[in-house]
């Protein structure tokens, strides 16, 4: 069994215990993942105090949502990273719209990307995200996991292969075919 599989099993069991409101398991889950999750939040927000807020908000959400975790959709850490990233993006959005007493330093690319993000664009982005999630649900679990590792965690094909303990050719094929299916699914949804 690979180290990645061992970690996934351990995190899965901790999440299952957290779903039953086990505080010791929650502490162990926090200890095992908080540093990595803080790194994710820090990459988005670029300020320690804001990243800490995002991680705290995420762990509150994890405590409440653990019973809804579905291992066939994503690895435990992938699921948790998604929650942290969403919390960090929420903080970033609030800062950009002036809804919070925080100042986030934005680089020119961030400013250019969001200058046209009005209510319509935000609603469209939300619809696009839902459509992508629905299309991702049509993929097989391990294929969905491989795509998530490659695109959410920015891992190379060889890193994904190593973590899933699969041949690199298999991973490349899964990702390529999965992306083709996603394109087709999204095109059908857009045409409807």
């Amino acid at each position: 069994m690979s180290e990645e599989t061992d970690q996934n099993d351990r995190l899965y069991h901790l999440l299952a215990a957290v779903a039953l409101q086990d505080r010791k398991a929650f502490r162990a889950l926090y200890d095992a993942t908080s540093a990595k999750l803080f790194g994710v939040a820090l990459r988005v927000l670029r300020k320690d105090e804001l990243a800490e807020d995002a991680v705290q908000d995420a762990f509150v959400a994890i405590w409440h949502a653990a019973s809804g975790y579905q291992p066939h959709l994503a690895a435990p850490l992938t699921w948790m990273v998604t929650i942290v990233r969403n919390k960090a993006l929420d903080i970033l959005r609030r800062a950009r719209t002036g809804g919070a007493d925080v100042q986030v330093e934005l680089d020119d690319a961030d400013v250019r990307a969001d200058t046209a993000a009005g209510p319509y664009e935000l609603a469209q982005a939300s619809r696009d995200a839902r459509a992508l999630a629905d299309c991702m649900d049509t993929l097989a679990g391990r294929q969905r996991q491989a795509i998530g590792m490659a695109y959410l965690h920015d891992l190379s094909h060889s890193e994904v292969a190593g973590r899933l303990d699969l041949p690199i050719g298999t991973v490349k094929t899964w990702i390529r075919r999965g992306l083709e299916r996603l394109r087709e699914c999204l095109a059908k949804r857009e045409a409807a």
Side-chain angles (χ1 to χ4, degrees):
M1 200 178 273
S2 73
E3 185 178 323
E4 180 74 17
T5 303
D6 289 343
Q7 181 190 19
N8 282 341
D9 287 345
R10 179 170 182 258
L11 294 179
Y12 170 75
H13 290 296
L14 288 172
L15 277 172
V18 169
L20 299 172
Q21 308 293 297
D22 182 333
R23 292 181 186 273
K24 287 182 182 178
F26 186 67
R27 180 63 198 195
L29 183 69
Y30 179 87
D31 291 343
T33 60
S34 61
K36 175 143 182 102
L37 298 179
F38 177 77
V40 170
L42 190 59
R43 278 195 302 275
V44 173
L45 295 166
R46 295 187 210 108
K47 288 195 173 196
D48 285 354
E49 61 275 3
L50 296 177
E52 289 169 2
D53 289 346
V55 171
Q56 180 179 352
D57 291 350
F59 272 102
V60 169
I62 289 165
W63 173 260
H64 292 292
S67 62
Y69 168 67
Q70 298 178 27
H72 64 280
L73 295 179
L77 191 59
T78 302
W79 180 73
M80 292 171 45
V81 163
T82 302
I83 292 171
V84 168
R85 187 171 183 281
N86 288 340
K87 295 297 181 184
L89 291 172
D90 288 345
I91 289 171
L92 194 59
R93 271 187 225 104
R94 282 194 307 267
R96 287 177 176 166
T97 60
D101 294 333
V102 294
Q103 291 293 322
V104 177
E105 296 172 18
L106 303 174
D107 63 23
D108 291 338
D110 287 336
V111 173
R112 281 192 307 274
D114 272 2
T115 51
Y120 173 79
E121 289 81 6
L122 293 174
Q124 183 61 42
S126 179
R127 281 192 294 277
D128 291 347
R130 275 195 301 275
L132 179 59
D134 290 344
C135 289
M136 285 287 284
D137 285 343
T138 66
L139 302 176
R142 302 253 340 232
Q143 184 178 37
R144 185 173 43 248
Q145 185 179 11
I147 290 172
M149 292 170 87
Y151 291 95
L152 293 176
H153 294 289
D154 201 24
L155 298 179
S156 69
H157 289 143
S158 59
E159 289 171 321
V160 172
R163 291 190 180 191
L164 294 177
D165 199 25
L166 292 168
I168 191 167
T170 300
V171 168
K172 285 182 176 181
T173 300
W174 282 2
I175 291 173
R176 181 178 41 79
R177 288 181 181 167
L179 292 175
E180 287 171 6
R181 285 189 59 196
L182 288 174
R183 265 188 233 106
E184 291 169 6
C185 177
L186 290 169
K188 285 179 188 174
R189 291 177 66 96
E190 195 172 297

